[in-house]
Amino acid sequence: MVTALLCVLVALPARSGAASRAAVVPDTSRGHYAGHVGYVGTFNIYGNIGHRGDAGDWIRDEADTISELTLGDMDRWLFIGLQEVCQAQGERLARELGMRSAFVDTGTDCADGQPYGNALLFHEAVRILPPALLPNTDGRGGERGIICAVVRAPESPESPDGAYRSDGSGRSGPPVTACSTHLSVGRTRDRERQEQTEFIHDDWKPDGTHPLGADGPVVLAGDLNAPPDARELDVWYGGDGSEASGPPESGPPYTRPTYDDGRKIDYLFTWGERGERSAGRWHRTGTRRTVNSDHSFYYSELSTGTG
């Protein structure tokens, strides 16, 4: 098995990320739900095979359209998970969106020599957890990894003193463990993917002592390379978890396909702290197609309310 170097890098935002174009997902008259947490997104950006490590203006274009989803207000985003990302691409997207980034190197170089792996974009982290490589039973197909950070939601816009402040003190919501991951690909890798999901949900102790979820409910974004009714996803569709599109579908066709061939293989899951039920409810779930990747940008709003 290849031993990969794991690294975490934080990029400071270069600009606010606000956009002036009309939003494609306008707000509703009901306003924010009680216990508002924020928007979450996941995006396999096709950064190596599709772009060979290039972090050019296509990244800026993606940032502009992501910002449009919340009327240009990036403070409403809790986090965004990226997969198939070369290090500089994740860092630039974070800067364009006015966010920070953490990165896990899974041990494969991009075409231009950059580290390759997964990234997590967020505004403010209470703590970045030590990343991990996922089980890779036979050592085929390269390593897969996961990167997580404990983040806080922004203050509700209805609060007396406004929303997120640049020093992070406006993010006063409960802690949430935000994660980005990418599971093994291939029809012969079902068992390996099951080992990977069980490792993340049940076995992984990021600090060597406490399981994932000890710091607050888990919200996981990722390319899982499996359809919703695949057995390996049962652990996350179980009684303590929920996915942004609802119960597992047995399609095709799928309500919200995330891959060019019509499959749903990208997900947003949440489950509670140990012994607790799901972190909340999903609202306004959607996908946005792009010419820059063979995956769609998949997103939803998470709340702890009942709206």
Side-chain angles (χ1 to χ4, degrees), residues 99-273:
M99 303 175 83
R100 293 175 168 85
S101 69
F103 178 80
V104 55
D105 178 354
T106 55
T108 302
D109 288 339
C110 292
D112 60 355
Q114 290 182 65
Y116 172 86
N118 304 318
L120 194 70
L121 312 186
F122 52 86
H123 288 286
E124 193 75 19
V126 176
R127 180 167 56 263
I128 298 173
L129 303 182
L133 296 180
L134 303 182
N136 185 6
T137 308
D138 57 13
R140 294 185 298 122
E143 300 280 4
R144 301 293 169 137
I146 183 169
I147 178 71
C148 301
V150 181
V151 300
R152 290 186 182 273
E155 273 186 329
S156 168
E158 288 83 8
S159 62
D161 58 351
Y164 173 66
R165 295 184 289 273
S166 61
D167 63 359
S169 61
R171 294 189 169 263
S172 58
V176 173
T177 301
C179 299
S180 175
T181 194
H182 188 190
L183 304 189
S184 296
V185 64
R187 294 185 179 182
T188 64
R189 311 292 284 278
D190 297 3
R191 179 57 193 168
E192 183 167 290
R193 283 191 294 273
Q194 185 166 350
E195 291 174 355
Q196 292 169 347
T197 57
E198 290 172 351
F199 169 79
I200 293 169
H201 189 273
D202 298 321
D203 301 329
W204 183 34
K205 295 179 174 61
D207 64 358
T209 303
H210 302 97
L212 189 67
D215 296 291
V218 178
V219 185
L220 182 140
D223 173 2
L224 306 185
N225 279 313
D229 59 353
R231 181 178 178 182
E232 54 264 41
L233 302 188
D234 286 351
V235 67
W236 288 340
Y237 272 114
D240 66 343
S242 67
E243 205 278 324
S245 288
E249 301 174 86
S250 58
Y254 297 104
T255 303
R256 297 181 184 91
T258 64
Y259 192 61
D260 274 353
D261 64 5
R263 288 181 291 159
K264 175 178 169 59
I265 58 175
D266 301 271
Y267 296 83
L268 297 170
F269 276 102
T270 181
W271 62 89
E273 298 175 74

Side-chain angles (χ1 to χ4, degrees), residues 13 17 28 39-40 42 155 164 175 255:
T28 69
Y39 276 86
V40 179
T42 190
E155 273 186 329
Y164 173 66
T255 303

Side-chain angles (χ1 to χ4, degrees), residues 26-69:
D27 220 340
T28 69
S29 59
R30 288 193 295 172
H32 287 265
Y33 296 91
H36 170 75
V37 175
Y39 276 86
V40 179
T42 190
F43 189 24
N44 181 323
I45 68 170
Y46 204 40
N48 185 34
I49 296 176
H51 298 279
R52 301 183 64 79
D54 172 58
D57 288 344
W58 70 274
I59 297 277
R60 181 192 61 203
D61 295 340
E62 290 297 327
D64 286 345
T65 52
I66 290 170
S67 179
E68 288 172 359
L69 295 174

